[in-house]
C-alpha cells in the first residue's frame, strides 16, 4: 500500500486535506490552538507512531516467517486487518 493509504488504514492522527482550497481555513484554525493543545497533539502523534511502528514490525516478521520459513499461518496479509 502507499504511505497515504497506510496512514488512513491505521487512523493516523494527522490532518487530511481533500481540497487545497480548505488549507487556509485549516491553517487559521491551527494558529488558534493553545500550547497545551499542541503538546497534547504531539504526545498523541508520538504514541500513535510508536504503536504503528510496532505493528509494521510484527507484520513484516510474520510475512518473512511465512515466506522464508514456511510457517503455517492463514493468509498473513489478510491478518493485517487485525492489527
Amino acid at each position: 500500500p502507499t504511505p497515504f493509504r497506510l496512514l488512513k488504514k491505521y487512523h493516523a492522527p494527522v490532518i487530511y486535506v481533500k481540497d487545497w482550497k480548505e488549507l487556509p481555513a485549516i491553517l487559521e484554525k491551527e494558529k488558534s490552538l493553545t500550547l497545551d493543545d499542541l503538546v497534547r497533539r504531539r504526545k498523541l502523534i508520538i504514541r500513535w507512531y510508536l504503536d504503528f511502528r510496532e505493528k509494521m514490525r510484527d507484520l513484516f516478521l510474520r510475512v518473512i516467517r511465512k515466506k522464508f520459513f514456511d510457517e503455517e499461518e492463514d493468509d498473513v496479509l489478510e491478518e493485517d486487518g487485525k492489527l
Side-chain angles (χ1 to χ4, degrees), residues 11-24:
H11 310 288
V14 297
I15 298 169
Y16 296 100
V17 179
K18 291 182 181 180
D19 184 349
W20 287 108
K21 293 175 187 171
E22 299 173 6
L23 190 60

Side-chain angles (χ1 to χ4, degrees), residues 47-59:
R47 278 192 301 264
W48 176 86
Y49 179 69
L50 293 173
D51 186 49
F52 172 76
R53 200 170 61 172
E54 187 176 315
K55 288 175 183 178
M56 291 299 102
R57 181 201 65 207
D58 292 346
L59 174 61

Side-chain angles (χ1 to χ4, degrees), residues 23-82:
L23 190 60
I26 291 170
L27 293 175
E28 213 40 56
K29 181 182 171 195
E30 292 299 305
K31 281 179 16 183
S32 70
L33 294 176
T34 67
L35 181 59
D36 286 339
D37 293 334
L38 295 173
V39 168
R40 220 173 292 124
R41 181 188 293 161
R42 180 176 233 168
K43 287 179 180 180
L44 175 68
I45 290 170
I46 290 170
R47 278 192 301 264
W48 176 86
Y49 179 69
L50 293 173
D51 186 49
F52 172 76
R53 200 170 61 172
E54 187 176 315
K55 288 175 183 178
M56 291 299 102
R57 181 201 65 207
D58 292 346
L59 174 61
F60 178 74
L61 290 174
R62 282 199 314 271
V63 170
I64 294 296
R65 286 184 190 119
K66 180 162 177 60
K67 297 294 182 187
F68 294 104
F69 300 106
D70 199 30
E71 288 187 8
E72 289 300 317
E73 186 175 336
D74 290 336
D75 189 2
V76 173
L77 297 177
E78 284 297 318
E79 190 172 303
D80 177 35
K82 296 180 185 174

